[in-house]
Each structure stands twice: as C-alpha cells, then as structure tokens.
C-alpha cells in the first residue's frame, strides 16, 4: 500500500477544509460529482454518456450485478471475479486479487450476493478516511481490537506507525479471545453489538479503552447507553460502514452523522423522518457507487446536534437487524449463516429462521437450490464444530414488516441469558477441545 497516499487523505480529512454551511457543503459535493462523472465517462462503458447525476439510473444490488462488466473501470468480468471470491470464501483465504484489484463478496440485506472490487488507490483513500474520522484526539499509539468475520484486506491496510491492530476471528467463540483481549490492552474496540454484548461483562478489565465502536449490525434501542456504561465510556460510538462505502460515524456527542464530505446521500423519504439512502461515492473509482440504493432505513434526528456539524444527523439505522442463532449451546452470528447460504447458487431471496433448539427453517425463492444450500450449511456447522441442526426448506415468504431480517431466531431459548454468560467466562466444549 502507499502509506503516503493514506497519509495525504488522512491529513486532508482530519485537518483540511470543513464546510461551515449546508450550502458550502452542497457546492463542494456538486464539484466532486462533476469531476467523478468526467472520470467515469472516460473509463466506465456504463456511464459513457452520463453527463449529470440526474441522468444516472438509481441502482440496487441486482442491477449493479447485472451490469457488472460494463460498470467497473478496470475491465474485470463478473464470472472471473465471482469464481475467485467464492473459492476464497471456502478456503477462508480473504485476500483474493485480480491483478492488483481486491475482490470481495457481500451478503447484505437484499438480493443474492454482491461482488465488489477495490483497487490499491481506493483502499488507501478508505484507510486514510477511516483513520482520520475514527481515531480519538491523540492520534498516535493506538491499539485497535477488531472483532470481525474476516480479516479484510482493507482493515489490514490501516496498520501503520499510527496504529496497531489485533484481529479477533468471529468464527472462534468469543470467550476464547478474552484473555488475549485483556492482555492486548486495546485503546479502541471495534465489534458488532452482538459481540459487545458478550464482552460487556469483561468491560471493567479493559481499563485503557478510549473508544468503543459498534459496527456491522443495528443497535437495539437503549442499547448504546447500556453498552457505553459496561465499557466505562461516555458514549458508545458507531461506524456505519458497508460494502457500498463509509456512510456515517458518530461525533464526540455520540450522534451519528452522515459522511457527506465523501459521499452524497439522496434521501428517498418514507415518512417525515425515515428515509432510504441513495449513495454516490465521489472517489470510489474501480467499481463506481453512483446512486446506489441501500436497503437500510435511516431515521433523521430531530433538531441540530450540539456539535454544530453541518453533516446530517441520524437518530438510528433500521434494517440489517439480523439475529444471532443459538445452536448446540453456542451463539452463531447471523453474518456467518448468511455467508454460508449465499455461497450456493440458483436463488435470489432467502431467509433463515431458527424455530427450535436444533431446528432451522430455510426459506428460498427457488427450492431447487435447497441441496446446494444444505451442503454450504453443513460446511459451516463442521467448521464451527457444531452438531448439525435439522434443516427444513420451505418457499420464501416475503416479510411485509419494515425491518427485513435475513436471519432470525423465533425460538427463545430459556437458557439464553445463561448461555451468553457462560460464553464470556469459560467455554463450552467445542472444536479444539480443552476448556481453560
Ligand atoms: Zn454531532
């Protein structure tokens, strides 16, 4: 990676020009978009004739995947990228590259699976932005503990003299990481809320923590306060980062603000406060994100934030509220289940519902894909060292509710709380044997 490129973006983002009025922000956005469209007209066959943003069609995952070959600016074909990404997913090797372009797979909340391409320049810019916007005031010497599904090459790229990283693999029971985590003495902890819940009991043993970031999943209401307390923080911080970009983060008051200096977010209003974001990233060049509609629902904040930022403030994010499953006495994260399901082909819509202690219902819009999905799930149970639950395949039933959950637990185990506690302290028997 280019440390210089990252450092330039970091400095510009952290100490550079900041819009003081909404009008100044919007003028800046329009200028960046014009320049970006100029680039895309020259490099992306799909955007060859698009002169203004209004002329660009609104995209979703399906249209983006259908036009993948024409959209990207580096001539990568969907078939080759997909084959590479799937092979990597199965081998748990998370650095598949086509030339110098990294290829990733996303599960998301709609459609089947998405593919994304990231060039070194995209990645360095991303790293600079993330560091600039997420590190506490004392910039240097941070130790960041990351609880993530995969050690994404993106995150790896942020490692530098400024910060050290330790990656904690979510396919391993969280309790097993606890001793390492305490010993690492992180200054920043980054994890999905389902993991923060499991770690909360150990919060008092993590004395040097300066920030705790919740990522990847939606927080339940009121949960931000209780988690902040558990980790001895004034506020729980949040990063709203997905395949489609780095979309929002909390200010020093713990309020989420859209990252409007880097992306344009056109709201499609659902009512007075709730909207679906349509995202245009000014700088993602390899795989353009132009008027891309996310499936999340954002709730605008009433009134201005005390921090005084002109960036739109968000009360909360709805959607992506997948549940964790409880199988064989263990917590299984929704993301792992989604990834396993989408590794199979032949369907578009799906849902996974836990209906009993060892029963899963898998809904598919194409039941012919059931055997292939079954194989992928078996691989997952094997990898996690779990007794395979009974899996029943049924036709997909669209959920009219506002919150779409791909992975849901309808069965409420009475041992729920007990299981959670046990997971933090010691470890139930699982793969690898000995309980310490
Ligand atoms: Zn604020």
């Amino acid at each position: 990676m280019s440390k210089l490129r990252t450092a330039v973006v970091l400095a510009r983002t952290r100490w550079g020009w900041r819009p003081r009025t909404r009008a100044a922000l919007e003028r800046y956005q329009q200028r960046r978009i014009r320049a970006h469209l100029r680039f895309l007209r020259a490099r992306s066959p799909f955007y060859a004739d698009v002169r203004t943003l209004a002329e660009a069609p609104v995209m979703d995952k399906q249209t983006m995947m259908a036009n993948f070959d024409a959209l990207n600016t580096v001539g990568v074909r969907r078939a080759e990228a997909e084959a590479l990404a799937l092979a990597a997913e199965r081998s748990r090797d998370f650095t598949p590259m086509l030339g110098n372009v990294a290829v990733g797979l996303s599960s998301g909340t709609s459609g089947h699976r998405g593919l994304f391409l990231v060039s070194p320049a995209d990645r360095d810019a991303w790293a600079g932005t993330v560091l600039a916007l997420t590190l506490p005031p004392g910039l240097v010497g941070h130790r960041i503990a990351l609880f993530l599904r995969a050690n994404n090459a993106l995150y790896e790229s942020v490692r530098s003299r400024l910060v050290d990283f330790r990656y904690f693999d979510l396919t391993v029971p969280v309790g097993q990481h606890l001793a390492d985590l305490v010993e690492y003495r992180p200054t920043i902890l980054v994890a999905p809320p389902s993991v923060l819940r499991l770690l909360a009991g150990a919060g008092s043993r993590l004395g040097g923590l300066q920030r705790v970031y919740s990522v990847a999943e939606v927080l339940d209401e009121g949960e931000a306060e209780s988690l902040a307390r558990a980790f001895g923080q004034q506020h729980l911080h949040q990063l709203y980062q997905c395949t489609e970009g780095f979309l929002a983060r909390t200010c020093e008051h713990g309020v989420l603000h859209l990252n409007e200096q880097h992306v344009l977010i056109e709201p499609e209003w659902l009512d007075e406060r709730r909207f679906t974001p349509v995202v245009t990233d000014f700088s993602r060049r390899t795989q353009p994100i132009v008027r891309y509609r996310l499936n999340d629902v954002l709730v605008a904040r009433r009134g201005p934030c005390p921090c005084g930022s002109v960036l739109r403030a968000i009360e909360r994010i709805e959607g992506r509220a997948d549940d964790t499953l409880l199988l064989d006495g263990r917590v299984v994260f929704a993301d792992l289940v989604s990834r396993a399901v989408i590794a199979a082909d032949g369907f578009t819509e799906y849902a996974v519902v836990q209906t009993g202690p060892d029963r899963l219902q898998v809904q598919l819009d194409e039941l012919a894909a059931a055997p292939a999905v079954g194989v992928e799930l078996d691989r997952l149970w094997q990898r996690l060292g779990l007794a395979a639950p009974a899996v029943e395949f049924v036709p997909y039933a669209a959920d009219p509710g506002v919150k779409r959950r791909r992975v849901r637990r309808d069965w409420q185990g009475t041992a729920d709380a007990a299981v959670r506690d046990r997971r933090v302290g010691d470890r139930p028997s699982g793969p690898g044997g000995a309980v310490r």
Side-chain angles (χ1 to χ4, degrees), residues 251 257 305 307:
C251 67
H257 288 273
C305 176
C307 77

Side-chain angles (χ1 to χ4, degrees), residues 351-379:
V352 177
V353 185
Q354 181 169 7
T355 53
D358 52 5
R359 299 199 74 80
L360 287 188
Q361 184 193 70
V362 177
Q363 305 176 358
L364 295 173
D365 61 352
E366 294 291 342
L367 279 177
V373 172
V375 167
E376 296 298 338
L377 285 174
D378 281 340
R379 280 198 183 126

Side-chain angles (χ1 to χ4, degrees), residues 155-172:
Y155 297 105
E156 201 54 52
S157 72
V158 191
R159 190 190 302 273
S160 65
R161 250 185 309 181
L162 286 178
V163 290
D164 184 57
F165 266 98
R166 187 153 319 164
Y167 161 68
F168 296 87
D169 187 348
L170 281 185
T171 59
V172 175

Side-chain angles (χ1 to χ4, degrees), residues 33-258:
I33 286 169
R34 277 196 300 274
H36 192 48
L37 287 178
R38 251 191 326 270
F39 170 84
L40 293 181
R41 277 199 296 278
R43 302 288 187 83
S44 164
F46 186 88
Y47 290 110
D49 300 316
V50 171
R51 311 211 64 86
T52 64
L53 192 64
E55 288 173 26
V58 172
M59 292 253 166
D60 57 19
K61 188 186 284 170
Q62 246 122 1
T63 46
M64 177 169 270
M65 286 305 109
N67 296 287
F68 187 89
D69 296 4
L71 270 166
N72 78 76
T73 59
V74 287
V76 168
R77 298 247 280 281
R78 177 179 171 177
E80 56 179 334
E82 198 159 45
L84 191 72
L86 281 173
E89 185 74 22
R90 296 205 174 108
S91 65
R92 307 288 296 158
D93 159 22
F94 287 105
T95 48
M97 304 285 280
L98 276 174
N100 66 355
V101 174
V103 181
L105 209 53
S106 72
S107 52
T109 46
S110 76
H112 187 52
R113 61 180 166 235
L115 275 172
F116 60 97
L117 303 173
V118 181
S119 72
D122 288 336
R123 189 194 58 203
D124 295 343
W126 179 90
T129 307
V130 166
L131 286 175
L133 297 181
T134 57
L135 292 183
L139 203 54
V140 189
H142 283 289
R143 287 179 303 280
I144 305 182
L146 277 175
F147 282 78
L148 295 168
R149 183 194 59 83
N151 194 6
N152 190 309
L154 271 180
Y155 297 105
E156 201 54 52
S157 72
V158 191
R159 190 190 302 273
S160 65
R161 250 185 309 181
L162 286 178
V163 290
D164 184 57
F165 266 98
R166 187 153 319 164
Y167 161 68
F168 296 87
D169 187 348
L170 281 185
T171 59
V172 175
V174 171
Q176 268 186 340
H177 288 311
L178 206 58
D180 280 348
L181 179 67
V182 171
E183 189 199 31
Y184 182 55
R185 293 182 299 116
T187 58
I188 300 176
L189 171 62
V190 181
S194 52
V195 174
L196 291 177
R197 264 171 240 142
L198 293 173
L199 294 172
S204 57
R205 290 163 66 195
L206 301 168
L209 269 183
Q210 294 179 28
R211 275 195 192 183
V212 177
Y213 278 103
S214 162
V215 295
E217 296 164 9
V218 168
L219 278 167
D220 295 338
E221 280 197 80
E223 201 174 28
E225 291 80 28
S226 63
L227 285 174
R229 257 196 317 278
F231 291 100
Q233 304 290 303
Q234 199 176 2
H235 303 289
L236 185 76
H237 283 275
Q238 293 183 61
L239 288 183
Y240 178 27
Q241 149 78 38
C242 52
T243 320
E244 293 80 12
F246 179 24
L247 301 181
R249 49 117 194 173
T250 42
C251 67
E252 67 270 32
H253 294 271
V255 172
L256 267 173
H257 288 273
L258 297 181

